[in-house]
Amino acid sequence: MKKLFFPVLFFVLLSLNSCVDIEERYDFKPDGACNVTYGFDMGKAVSVLMNLMTDSVRETPQFALVKDTTLNFYSALPDSISKGMNIDEMKMAQGSDLAIKMDLNKNIMKVSIRHEAKNAADLKYYLQHLSSISMNNQLNSVAKNNAVKNFDAQPLITGQSYYTYDITPHKFYRIIDKVKFNAFLKSAGSKFAMAKAMLIDMPYKVVLNFAKPVKKINNPKAILSADRRKVTLTTSMDEVMKNPALMNLKIDF
């Protein structure tokens, strides 16, 4: 029972992309560069699932596993994948990192995907091709070979492909493509339903820090700071599924 229970528990924990607090963060610099981070905090899922574990399982070496590591995508990729990348994919991988922090005893399981975009065009390309990192098995290869065994990163970011972007040095526009979003819900709906049945909330926050004041923003749910340099949009996947337009952003700065 002990041998069977832990792998099943671990698989459920890591495969449920809906059992996370999600945060997108954009930090724009005066020269037009932008650091973008997708953070996934699975601490709530850990806390809920660990309550199902017996003391004997908690004492296993797997439960005591602690990870705190940051990996550069390109340097960690196997040759079989890196040799098949085009120049743009190579640059995207070189400018991206995967950070994993895990301590199950403390209900900690965090994954973040970071990228440094050199300019608006680079940022747009990255956001439009972010899901291709996992689709091409690049992200999974980095995670499985160097970080957490059986970690499947693909479900965490494939949902990002349902946006269309228009980004320039003076604006950040993104609109949800309803057809792609509905297709995403169709494929991930069972996972969201399971998380909801476990009473796990799914907060979703978007934070954008600008180097210059924001002139105009179209989303009434987004909060603009007093100095007009920070936009914060706080919602949940449950709200987004009911009204996808909540995630639409048109910001002029």
Side-chain angles (χ1 to χ4, degrees):
M1 176 65 179
K2 186 192 305 183
K3 291 182 179 180
L4 175 62
F5 185 79
F6 191 86
V8 171
L9 173 68
F10 203 60
F11 173 78
V12 171
L13 171 65
L14 297 181
S15 64
L16 286 179
N17 67 305
S18 55
C19 296
V20 299
D21 289 5
I22 307 170
E23 180 174 305
E24 295 180 49
R25 179 174 291 272
Y26 301 81
D27 295 308
F28 291 87
K29 301 180 181 179
D31 63 358
C34 179
N35 290 330
V36 55
T37 303
Y38 286 85
F40 307 92
D41 186 345
M42 289 169 268
K44 290 181 180 178
V46 173
S47 178
V48 172
L49 293 173
M50 292 307 102
N51 288 331
L52 304 175
M53 299 179 65
T54 63
D55 291 338
S56 60
V57 174
R58 289 178 180 273
E59 294 172 358
T60 60
Q62 295 96 325
F63 185 78
L65 181 65
V66 176
K67 289 283 185 180
D68 190 353
T69 184
T70 300
L71 308 166
N72 177 267
F73 280 122
Y74 188 75
S75 62
L77 286 172
D79 291 341
S80 59
I81 291 180
S82 60
K83 289 182 179 180
M85 300 172 70
N86 60 40
I87 294 178
D88 290 330
E89 291 173 337
M90 186 183 302
K91 290 180 178 179
M92 186 170 70
Q94 290 173 337
S96 303
D97 295 318
L98 172 68
I100 298 175
K101 186 173 184 179
M102 181 175 71
D103 187 337
L104 298 183
N105 278 302
K106 297 181 179 179
N107 293 334
I108 296 175
M109 183 60 190
K110 297 180 179 181
V111 178
S112 64
I113 303 167
R114 306 168 183 168
H115 180 75
E116 181 179 354
K118 305 300 183 184
N119 49 47
D122 186 16
L123 176 60
K124 182 177 180 179
Y125 179 87
Y126 174 71
L127 295 176
Q128 289 178 327
H129 295 83
L130 174 61
S131 62
S132 69
I133 295 178
S134 79
M135 292 297 190
N136 294 333
N137 294 318
Q138 297 164 11
L139 181 55
N140 288 345
S141 296
V142 173
K144 289 180 180 179
N145 292 341
N146 298 281
V148 182
K149 185 177 181 181
N150 293 329
F151 177 79
D152 183 6
Q154 180 167 332
L156 295 176
I157 64 175
T158 51
Q160 300 306 317
S161 63
Y162 48 62
Y163 293 112
T164 58
Y165 292 91
D166 184 7
I167 303 174
T168 74
H170 302 289
K171 68 181 181 182
F172 179 92
Y173 290 7
R174 78 169 188 188
I175 304 296
I176 279 187
D177 183 313
K178 292 183 179 180
V179 174
K180 292 181 179 179
F181 184 73
N182 288 334
F184 166 73
L185 289 183
K186 185 176 181 180
S187 64
S190 60
K191 296 177 181 179
F192 287 117
M194 184 180 295
K196 192 171 184 178
M198 296 170 66
L199 303 180
I200 297 175
D201 194 13
M202 297 166 278
Y204 200 131
K205 180 185 288 187
V206 184
V207 180
L208 303 100
N209 294 305
F210 295 93
K212 59 187 72 173
V214 170
K215 297 178 180 178
K216 183 180 179 181
I217 181 170
N218 79 324
N219 190 321
K221 191 175 178 63
I223 297 175
L224 185 61
S225 63
D227 64 1
R228 304 186 68 84
R229 293 174 182 264
K230 181 178 181 178
V231 174
T232 304
L233 174 61
T234 303
T235 182
S236 69
M237 281 305 301
D238 190 42
E239 289 183 330
V240 173
M241 285 186 286
K242 295 175 182 177
N243 181 16
L246 288 175
M247 298 299 287
N248 292 341
L249 286 170
K250 287 187 177 181
I251 305 173
D252 294 284
F253 55 93

